[in-house]
Every structure is written in C-alpha cells, then in structure tokens.
Amino acid sequence: MHSITVNNLTKKFGSFVSVDNISFNVKEGEIFGFLGANGAGKSTTIRMLCGILEPTSGDALVGGFSINSEPDKVKSSIGYMSQRFSLYNDLTVQENIDFFGGVYGLSGSNFRERKNWVLEIANLKGKENLLTGLLPGGIKQRLALGTAVIHNPKIVFLDEPTSGVDPISRRSFWDLINQLSEEGTTVFVTTHYLEEAEFCNNIILINAGKLVAEGTSEELKTNYINHKIIDIECDRTVEAMEILEKETFVLDTSIFGNNLHISVLDDVSAKKSVLALLEGKHSFRIRKIDTIVPTLEDVFIHLIEKG
Amino acid sequence: MSIKRINAIIIKEFKQLLRDKRYLFVLFFFPVFLLGMFGYAVNFDVKNIKLAVMDNDNSKESREFIKTLISSEYFILSGYIEKDSDIKPMLDNQDVQLILVVPQNFSTELAKNNGKPSLQFLVDGVNGNTALIINNYITSAAMNFNAKIQTGFAEKAGITSLSPINFQPRFWFNPSLETTKYLIPGLIAMILIVTAVVSVSLSLVREKERGTIEQIKVSSVNTIEMLLGKAVPYVCIAMLNGILVLIAGMLLFNLEIQGSYLLLLLTTSIFLLAGIILGIFVSVVADSQQVAFTIAVFLSFLPSFILSGFVFPIDSMPPIIQIITNITPAKFFVAASRSIILKGAGVSAIYDQLMYLILYTLFFLILAVLISIKKEKEL
C-alpha cells in the first residue's frame, strides 16, 4: 500500500526547470529518505507534495488525495516541519502547542491527550511556561516535530529536520522518527547527513531536478557503482599509493585514514596484482587487503559527478 | 471557514502583542505624543504679534488708534521708534513682526473736511500665512476706528440715529476658530492609519521572514481565516488608540463630539478596514520587515499628513494634486469625521465619503490578491 504516489511531477519557474518529470512511490509507514544537493529541487518537491505549490505538470497522490484537485484534503492529512523549526519564539511552549492545536482544529479531551503527548516527547513536562526562544536547539526541534504532528497525520514531511543540531540530539531525534514510523506514520525526510540516510527504509536521490537513483541504501551501494573498492592496510601508505597510481588496472586511489582505497573493475585479480607488486617487488608489509562495500558518500559523489 | 481556527490566530496575535512591551509602549506613546505635539505646537492661531510704533504725530487721535490695537489680544507693543533708520534693522532682526508709522499730519488731515489721513504698516512677510492674518487684523482695526470716528462726527452734526450695517460675524462649528479642534479628527486619522498599516504589514512579513507562514500554509488554515485572525487584534488596538486620542482631545483641548458616537464608530471601522487592507497590500509586496516598514510609512504617514486635508486644505491645492489626494483613505475619513465631530452631521452628509472608502478598500484588496497570486507562481 502506497501512501504517496508521484507521477511525472514537473515544476518550472519561467524557463528554469526545478523539478524535472520525477516519479516514485512511498510505502505506508516507512521512513523515506529524499536526498540531493542544495538547489536540486528538494524543497520545491516537498512544497508541491504538501499542497502549497501547484505543479506545472504531473500529479501526486498524498494520503489518497490529488495535490492538483484536492490540496485542502492533502493539507489536513499531513504534518510538515521545516528546517527552521517554525515555532513562535516569543510565545511559551504551552502557547505554541495551543496555537497549532487550534489551527488544526483540535479540542476537548483529544486535544488534552495530544498536548500531553507533545510535552512528553519534547521532555517539556512541567516547563510549559518557558519561552520557546530560550529552549536549546535539540528540545526546540522535538517540540517543532510534536506540534507538526499534533493532529496525528498519516504522513509527515520533515525538511532537513536535523540541520544545526548536535549529534546526540540528532541521534535521539531519529529515535523519535523511528517511533513515529513504528506507530504507522509515513515519514518523508530530507537530509544532508548521509549517515542519517542509512536509517531510511528507502532512498531516492535527485540531481538538477532529475531522479538519479532509488532503492534501499544497500541497493544504492551495489547497483549504482560498477567498480569495486579495495581497502589496503600497509606501511608507507603514500609511497604505496604513488606506485599503484601508475598501474593501468587501478581506476582511482584515495587515502582513508591510515588506509588506502583503490577502485578497480575486477577485485579478485586486482588483489593478486597488488600483493605481487607491493609485497613481492617493493617489499611492503601488507597487514590487510579486502574488498569493501562503498559508503553512500562514495555512491553519491560518483553519481553526481557523473551527472 | 472555521471560527476555531480564526480564534487560535487571534489569541496568538494578542499574546505576541502583549508580550512585546517595547512595541506596546511605542504603539500607545506615539498617539499621545503626536496629540501633544500637534495640539500645542502646531497652531495657526496668530496672537501676540509684536508691534513697534513710530508716532510722528503724537496727537490724541494717533494715541487712541495705537490703544485700540494693543488693547486686543493680537498685538503687543514692544516699543516706540524715534528715527527712520531704526525701522529696517528691527524688521531684519525679527525684533517685531509689524511696524506702524503715523505721519506728522495724521490728526490734522483727520480733522479736515476733505482730508486724507494715512497710516503706514510695515509687515514682516517672511511667513506668508502669518503676514496675511496680520493684514486682516489691521484692516479690521482701521475699519473699526473709521466707524468710531464717523459716529463721532455724525453726533457732532446732530445725527444720532446713524446705523450702518452692524457686522457681527459668527463662525459655526468651531466658534472660537481653534486650530486644535480642527486638527484632532485629522490626527485621529493619521494615528489610526499608521498603526493599522505598519502593525499589520510588519506582523505578516515577520511570519514570512521567520518561515512560520509556511507552517500555517500547510495546515488547513485558508487565506481568509489567516487575514481575519490577523486583522481583528489590530483593529482592536487601533480602535483603542483612536478612543484614547479622542478622550485626550476632550480633556486637553475641550473637544466635543457633536454627532452620533455610533456613526463615528462605524466610519472609523470602515476607515480601519481600508488601513488594514493597505497593510496586507504592503505585506504582499515586501519580503523583509525593513522594506515593509519603509513602504508602510511611506504609504500611510506621508499621504495622510500632507494630502488628507489634515493640515493643508485640499481645496487650495493645484488640480493635479487634488486628484492625487485620492491615494490616501485618510482624506475621506478626515472629511467624514470632521463633519461628525464638529458639525454633528448625519449619514446623509457623509455617505459619499464612506462609499469612497469602501471603493478604495476593494481596490487595494483586489490588487493585493492579484499580486499575491502572481508572486505565488514565481516562487
């Protein structure tokens, strides 16, 4: 069951094509990672999916409603949190929650229940009267998420929710995202941190408005890079790199910490050649030589440079 | 449309307003400050004109004429001049605004049957308005003096029942011709429009600047709910401000409202609506608070001060400027509120002004909507 279905979505601003004919599906209850460089068209796509920007062509069903013909129904079935944690800094925690609750038309016991839930996830019980502007970034971020989903939407869009937040807060924020997903909420998230993308069930990557890759993080790492990466641990690393660079079977070399990474087409024969060359001919001491899975960063840099 | 959602926005706006003590201070200090400034400092009533006299005649008649001048509240005698050469420096240094020269033959000419008694007045004409008023004062003083002398002659000749036209002017609506009473309606207009346009546009643009508007847009709140929620608190604040100025006018300047309070309230509400639409228009055009503030002041303060007829009468402007005065809703409000406050006019006397105000409001509402649709497509 898909909670978001995107069909040939395109947005042009004058002659500039911001989003170029993209299509993808998001499954119900999954955490869906939406990646891309700044200006790749991420925010434009999110704004269209939230029903606040009309597409030039194409359509999308969000929570079963068309963004073209039923934007109001789309709006009432989603939550949205932007990178700016759109809370009112000059209002207290309580007043912010009351405002967003009121804006989403909550009332009575349901509202009290949800208010409690927001205070709980933000660790702000008993601190309802603090000014929001005085809260630390991590807490503010949790409060922003809480208010964004105060009406218990089926789908929530998070636009770079962790930018400018410390690593510990980021980690506990992802615990919260997982919790939402386990409760059945579909989470659509954009991020710049590739280690965060590893937490997503499915990922798509867009570049210059076009969709360039999609799949799980494992699929991306195996399907989109043709050559193999070999990790070598040896003495005199720089010298070893200079020697290997001259060989024709080595496509690329780079130093990762104390180790040496080389890209090759055939990792089995390459390993043999490296051992013969370094240990046999130049008497290096090789402690370890392994074929490794490329990181998401390797994949994305590869894809974007290619594109 | 949902009352619940509008309510949430109204409550939020009020909380934000009340929390910002500095802004509140400015909001309520500004009108009182303006009232004090305009009420006491801006005053077109010309009184206590400094007068110097060079009396070459030094007769009973010349002294009597001088006495009639200085016994009024308009003139103060600063001194006598002995020689001609002192006249110029006195005017140059602005020691006096008016110099009266009585020629040597004043009383003898006056006594003759076909005499031509003359007096010379030298008026400092730098401030044209004041000079004009001084001129009127001395003209009427001379006429009064003439009438008195004629009566005297007539009595000597045995004619007792000489009764020329007895001219006793009465000024309606502002009998004592006090500038302040005339200014207060205009002042209320200016304060209301500046409060409405500046505060509404800033409050909307602030949400744009901080990104909170996005959060509201993705919720189910529609534009009309948003604007209503924003407008209500500022209408209340502006109304409160208007009432404050009115009460201050009553207490400090003895202003009396001749007409219906209800009609004044209705007129003010329509005018405020125009101001708020203008504020919304500014917020659509501007993307930062600085730009919004500049445009808001430019659109509200200047025209309502210069073009509304608040200080400068529209009738005496050149025709082209008279057409341009229509860019400010204050023009219509000043005309209507003056009629209500000073004349006690009813709806029939001001309904054309109200129609203009409503037309004006609709025009800017449509313009704001069109620009906002255009901007939305570009973003």
Side-chain angles (χ1 to χ4, degrees), chain B residues 96-158:
Chain B
V96 294
Q97 291 156 281
L98 175 67
I99 290 174
L100 165 62
V101 181
V102 185
Q104 229 166 11
N105 58 0
F106 178 66
S107 54
T108 49
E109 284 290 312
L110 203 61
K112 271 190 209 161
N113 226 349
N114 284 323
K116 287 193 171 64
S118 62
L119 293 166
Q120 184 184 32
F121 286 102
L122 299 162
V123 185
D124 178 356
V126 170
N127 184 336
N129 199 33
T130 311
L132 203 67
I133 292 168
I134 294 177
N135 183 40
N136 289 339
Y137 288 161
I138 51 186
T139 310
S140 74
M143 274 165 59
N144 282 340
F145 190 74
N146 280 345
K148 224 162 86 184
I149 289 177
Q150 272 170 2
T151 318
F153 281 154
E155 275 169 359
K156 270 184 206 164

Side-chain angles (χ1 to χ4, degrees), chain B residues 158-178:
Chain B
I159 308 166
T160 45
S161 61
L162 183 81
S163 54
I165 293 170
N166 187 4
F167 179 63
Q168 287 190 338
R170 297 266 185 282
F171 295 100
W172 277 24
F173 312 129
N174 184 3
S176 46
L177 293 178
E178 284 168 68

Side-chain angles (χ1 to χ4, degrees), chain B residues 164 225 263 308 330 350 369:
Chain B
E225 291 166 349
L263 186 60
S308 69
I350 60 159
V369 169

Side-chain angles (χ1 to χ4, degrees), chain B residues 174 176 178-185 253-256 342:
Chain B
N174 184 3
S176 46
E178 284 168 68
T179 322
T180 321
K181 284 192 179 163
Y182 174 76
L183 284 183
I184 283 179
F253 305 109
N254 304 318
L255 183 78
E256 280 165 41
L342 299 177

Side-chain angles (χ1 to χ4, degrees), chain A residues 181-193:
Chain A
S181 161
E182 272 160 30
E183 287 164 7
T185 309
T186 307
V187 182
F188 187 101
V189 58
T190 73
T191 179
H192 278 313
Y193 301 103

Side-chain angles (χ1 to χ4, degrees), chain A residues 232-237 240 258 278 284-288:
Chain A
I232 304 163
E233 192 180 330
C234 63
D235 58 341
R236 292 179 282 149
T237 322
N258 288 327
L278 292 186
F284 279 85
R285 276 183 45 236
I286 294 183
R287 284 183 289 272
K288 206 172 92 188

Side-chain angles (χ1 to χ4, degrees), chain A residues 206-252:
Chain A
I206 64 167
N207 186 34
K210 288 194 177 68
L211 199 148
V212 290
E214 62 180 312
T216 63
S217 89
E218 289 312 309
E219 281 166 357
L220 290 178
K221 286 174 203 169
T222 48
N223 297 353
Y224 288 91
I225 263 188
N226 299 329
H227 43 250
K228 302 281 190 294
I229 309 258
I230 298 173
D231 177 71
I232 304 163
E233 192 180 330
C234 63
D235 58 341
R236 292 179 282 149
T237 322
V238 178
E239 210 179 307
M241 186 175 84
E242 282 165 0
I243 292 164
L244 289 173
E245 259 173 0
K246 293 180 190 124
E247 298 301 316
T248 48
F249 71 90
V250 178
L251 301 172
D252 200 8

